[in-house]
Amino acid sequence: MLRPQNSATREMVNLDGTWRFAVDWGHEGLSDNWQSGPLPGRLDAPVPGSVNDLYHDEKIRDHVGYYWFQREVQVPRGWNGERIFVRVESATHEGTVFVNDTKVAEHTGGYMPFEADITGLVTPGENFRLSIAVNNELVNSSIPPGEIIELEDGRRQQEYKHDFYNYSGLHRSVWLYSAPEVRVEDATITTDFAGDTGHVNYSVSVTDTADADVQVRVLDKAGSQVAEASGDAGSVEIPGVTLWQPGAGYLYDMVIEVSQGGDLKDSFTQKFGVRTVAVEGKQFLINGEPFYFTGFGMHEDHETLGKGHSDAHMIQDFQLLEWINANSLRTSHYPYSEDIMDYCDRHGVVVIDETAAVGLNWAIAGGIMGGTAGGTYEKGHVDDSTQATHKEAIRELVGRDKNRPSVVLWSIANEPDTAVDGARPYFEPLVELTRELDPSRPVGFVNVMFAPAGACTVSDLFDVLMLNRYYGWYVQTGDLRTAEASLEKELRQWDEQYAKPTIMTEYGADTVAGMHSIYDQPFTEDYQVAFLDMYHRVFDRVECMIGEHVWNFADFQTKYGYARVDGNKKGAFTRDRRPKAGARALKQRWAEKLGR
């Protein structure tokens, strides 16, 4: 799905701001047609934003079910003769959209955009009522999955298997936009280069191909044309090409123009970068050069905002990534905002792009505590309905991010249960689908430490190994000498068994900012530094290791539990982005590792 843009033939109106807000306490909003009039009550809510941390009523935070958002929208009077769309960049986890009384869209999956053509329901120059019902429920067929618990007193509680808070709301922007009847519907760009010549293959989908003439022009960063072609599919060469590289995100514009009978119908500009990605032996190559990942698993998580997107917070986070010498990130554990992805494209930040398939593991809860009864791959847990949802999540992710040069690796799941027989028939079709959708990038998944080398049943299916390991924290707690031996032993087993490039996608220790000891005691900043140093010594001794992503960039909110006091404290930075001692240790480590 192409992201809307302003062009000679298109126009956008941003609908962010304060919306009317209501909690559907009795689960009656849909049946009682709340969309047909003003929402009950007097509450407001921000868009973008999470609703959970805003109100003094704890019942709103804990509500399981629907939240409703509503506002009046004026259609620009100059949009006569255009197709008119409403686009929701995310509704966590399910969104139902109404224009006045009419339902126009439904979408399941809290981290991807969806839209509806509302042309026949609105009039340029006039207002309409836009209502969005957002459901925060997670069930076994969701990605991520969960369970609804009905208590004896009638309350409903949400159980889920992932270790971050289940924030809900309209977390990203909402748009009204116009586009021509005959328009670019999709575009796919792949690149290669030889010497100083770039090779660009493209294909364009147009809504009406009858007598449609497609022209393609490639512009460099200065706006000068460097290549052109005709037709809805083909290739162009860019002489003297400037490559997209880590830390130097050079982007070209592909201007796609659609005409009929000599009249311009649509103009759409797709940005792209010329670069290659490959796996050769134990190396991960970008533009033919070995790449070593330094950075973090991150979260879209801030105080008050929850998972709501904020440009100011985004800029601050990327400035901290630059300061600490991180060259990459993983979108743990869901696709991130398109604004974040745009930033990575522009600035050369390398991205491991992950679906929201976290918690596919009935043996654990959030990766740290005992699990519930039953196996993972059985009816009512992770089953055929879950797999169908997972396939759609992969299609949506690849469809949204396939043209992004920053994305070098697809991660189709985080910490699933892969030490059991049911894992292979579940994951093999997903790997095949991902490669079919995008043959140009490697595919991986993130392995949990309960499926170690020799026990995982699916790792041979993937191009890159990604491991989450917590020796010295969840096991062998505080005993870094024993943990070092255990970590090295397992990494060497992976290397001997698969000889594939391997990234440590999570390693870290909960650390209370300001807590110190003359001993390396868990939860102190001193222990965090010693823990990280130990892992780095091991990485440097094992040949297959080509990356280190610390868990986590910053402290983040989780559901309550005895192991989570005010959230997960494994951040190199506090939740309000103050560096712990580990941050300075990482800054020095990565400067040396990258030769800076």
Side-chain angles (χ1 to χ4, degrees):
M1 179 187 293
L2 297 177
R3 195 178 193 192
Q5 62 182 230
N6 288 307
S7 75
T9 58
R10 298 168 177 244
E11 192 171 358
M12 302 169 61
V13 175
N14 184 266
L15 302 182
D16 293 354
T18 302
W19 291 44
R20 293 191 295 275
F21 176 73
V23 182
D24 189 355
W25 299 113
H27 311 283
E28 59 196 16
L30 293 174
S31 59
D32 287 357
N33 298 315
W34 280 14
Q35 71 274 11
S36 297
L39 293 179
R42 60 183 185 86
L43 293 177
D44 294 325
V47 176
S50 296
V51 303
N52 307 81
D53 293 346
L54 300 178
Y55 306 101
H56 61 75
D57 187 349
E58 189 175 8
K59 292 188 297 183
I60 298 178
R61 177 183 176 87
D62 295 338
H63 176 67
V64 178
Y66 281 93
Y67 300 105
W68 282 69
F69 299 78
Q70 190 179 81
R71 62 161 292 169
E72 296 295 314
V73 179
Q74 184 174 39
V75 182
R77 61 181 182 179
W79 286 9
N80 278 304
E82 299 295 304
R83 305 305 299 182
I84 300 171
F85 300 83
V86 62
R87 178 185 174 93
V88 180
E89 291 194 345
S90 90
T92 309
H93 293 279
E94 180 182 356
T96 306
V97 182
F98 299 89
V99 169
N100 295 322
D101 297 342
T102 304
K103 180 169 68 176
V104 297
E106 288 181 290
H107 181 265
T108 299
Y111 303 99
M112 294 300 288
F114 62 101
E115 62 185 33
D117 187 332
I118 62 172
T119 308
L121 299 172
V122 299
T123 303
E126 297 183 5
N127 286 9
F128 68 90
R129 183 174 57 256
L130 178 62
S131 306
I132 305 177
V134 177
N135 182 16
N136 66 1
E137 295 178 352
L138 294 171
V139 295
N140 79 289
S141 59
S142 308
I143 295 293
E147 300 172 277
I148 307 296
I149 307 299
E150 300 278 354
L151 302 180
E152 290 184 1
D153 61 7
R155 288 179 298 143
R156 306 169 80 235
Q157 290 184 347
Q158 176 74 70
E159 290 292 325
Y160 48 95
K161 311 297 181 185
H162 55 270
D163 188 29
F164 56 93
Y165 191 78
N166 189 41
Y167 281 112
S168 184
L170 296 172
H171 287 146
R172 300 165 191 167
S173 291
V174 180
W175 299 89
L176 190 73
Y177 76 93
S178 69
E181 182 80 36
V182 179
R183 62 188 180 277
V184 178
E185 197 167 37
D186 196 12
T188 301
I189 299 172
T190 58
T191 65
D192 198 350
F193 67 93
D196 64 352
T197 300
H199 303 283
V200 182
N201 297 311
Y202 72 91
S203 63
V204 177
S205 175
V206 180
T207 55
D208 182 2
T209 58
D211 301 320
D213 178 32
V214 177
Q215 298 290 322
V216 167
R217 296 182 293 118
V218 177
L219 310 181
D220 64 16
K221 189 172 287 189
S224 300
Q225 182 171 311
V226 295
E228 62 179 344
S230 299
D232 58 8
S235 62
V236 296
E237 292 189 347
I238 302 175
V241 68
T242 301
L243 299 180
W244 187 98
Q245 300 185 68
Y250 193 95
L251 296 177
Y252 289 91
D253 286 340
M254 179 174 284
V255 181
I256 307 167
E257 296 176 330
V258 181
S259 301
Q260 283 184 327
D263 295 329
L264 178 66
K265 297 297 182 181
D266 190 24
S267 177
F268 186 90
T269 298
Q270 177 63 57
K271 291 187 178 296
F272 70 96
V274 178
R275 63 104 181 93
T276 60
V277 175
V279 170
E280 291 187 7
K282 300 178 186 180
Q283 293 185 324
F284 192 98
L285 305 179
I286 299 179
N287 299 333
E289 298 292 329
F291 180 75
Y292 193 90
F293 293 78
T294 65
F296 298 93
M298 299 181 69
H299 267 299
E300 293 180 313
D301 176 275
H302 293 87
E303 293 177 344
T304 307
L305 289 170
K307 291 200 173 302
H309 177 76
S310 157
D311 286 344
H313 288 86
M314 176 185 73
I315 296 297
Q316 180 189 40
D317 283 355
F318 277 104
Q319 285 295 299
L320 292 175
L321 288 172
E322 183 177 324
W323 172 83
I324 207 170
N325 294 311
N327 61 19
S328 55
L329 61 90
R330 174 169 64 111
T331 69
S332 48
H333 303 295
Y334 39 82
Y336 285 2
S337 162
E338 290 170 284
D339 295 301
I340 291 176
M341 303 302 290
D342 286 347
Y343 188 101
C344 292
D345 285 342
R346 292 195 306 272
H347 293 273
V349 180
V350 172
V351 176
I352 300 172
D353 208 359
E354 190 162 275
T355 71
V358 55
L360 304 178
N361 198 324
W362 251 247
I364 59 173
I368 56 173
M369 292 175 283
T372 55
T376 297
Y377 303 99
E378 63 181 46
K379 187 68 175 176
H381 289 180
V382 177
D383 57 20
D384 290 345
S385 63
T386 318
Q387 188 187 58
T389 306
H390 200 160
K391 287 181 178 179
E392 184 59 25
I394 292 171
R395 291 187 190 97
E396 289 186 348
L397 179 64
V398 174
R400 192 193 75 167
D401 292 345
K402 61 187 174 182
N403 294 325
R404 296 190 176 279
S406 61
V407 175
V408 301
L409 173 61
W410 302 116
S411 173
I412 66 172
N414 178 75
E415 295 193 343
D417 187 358
T418 60
V420 295
D421 291 339
R424 196 171 187 92
Y426 181 87
F427 276 100
E428 193 161 15
L430 301 182
V431 177
E432 292 172 356
L433 173 63
T434 309
R435 290 203 175 103
E436 177 186 338
L437 293 170
D438 179 23
S440 72
R441 291 178 178 87
V443 182
F445 86 103
V446 176
N447 170 281
V448 68
M449 66 186 304
F450 303 112
C456 182
T457 64
V458 302
S459 286
D460 61 296
L461 300 173
F462 295 87
D463 303 302
V464 176
L465 300 180
M466 294 186 282
L467 309 178
N468 293 351
R469 292 297 182 268
Y470 290 97
Y471 295 106
W473 188 249
Y474 292 128
V475 295
Q476 299 156 352
T477 310
D479 183 358
L480 292 180
R481 182 180 298 181
T482 302
E484 183 167 358
S486 298
L487 174 64
E488 183 166 357
K489 178 181 178 181
E490 189 189 349
L491 292 184
R492 291 193 182 279
Q493 288 174 334
W494 284 107
D495 195 8
E496 292 168 5
Q497 183 174 359
Y498 293 105
K500 291 183 179 183
T502 304
I503 306 168
M504 186 63 66
T505 38
E506 289 186 24
Y507 62 109
D510 282 88
T511 304
V512 178
M515 185 175 176
H516 290 276
S517 172
I518 60 171
Y519 313 110
D520 290 334
Q521 292 184 329
F523 291 100
T524 65
E525 293 194 43
D526 314 274
Y527 186 78
Q528 184 185 42
V529 172
F531 179 100
L532 295 172
D533 286 347
M534 180 273 282
Y535 272 73
H536 298 153
R537 288 196 300 271
V538 174
F539 298 163
D540 290 344
R541 296 197 295 261
V542 179
E543 183 183 9
C544 67
M545 297 303 299
I546 54 95
E548 50 200 58
H549 276 183
V550 172
W551 190 254
N552 190 283
F553 170 71
D555 296 345
F556 58 92
Q557 193 56 263
T558 66
K559 57 185 175 182
Y560 297 125
Y562 62 82
R564 291 285 177 256
V565 180
D566 194 31
N568 191 307
K569 294 289 192 293
K570 292 187 183 67
F573 299 90
T574 62
R575 200 177 185 211
D576 59 354
R577 277 40 179 183
R578 291 174 292 170
K580 301 176 189 176
R584 295 193 181 276
L586 289 169
K587 177 179 173 66
Q588 180 177 348
R589 156 75 178 180
W590 290 342
E592 294 170 354
K593 196 69 180 176
L594 301 177
R596 294 179 178 176

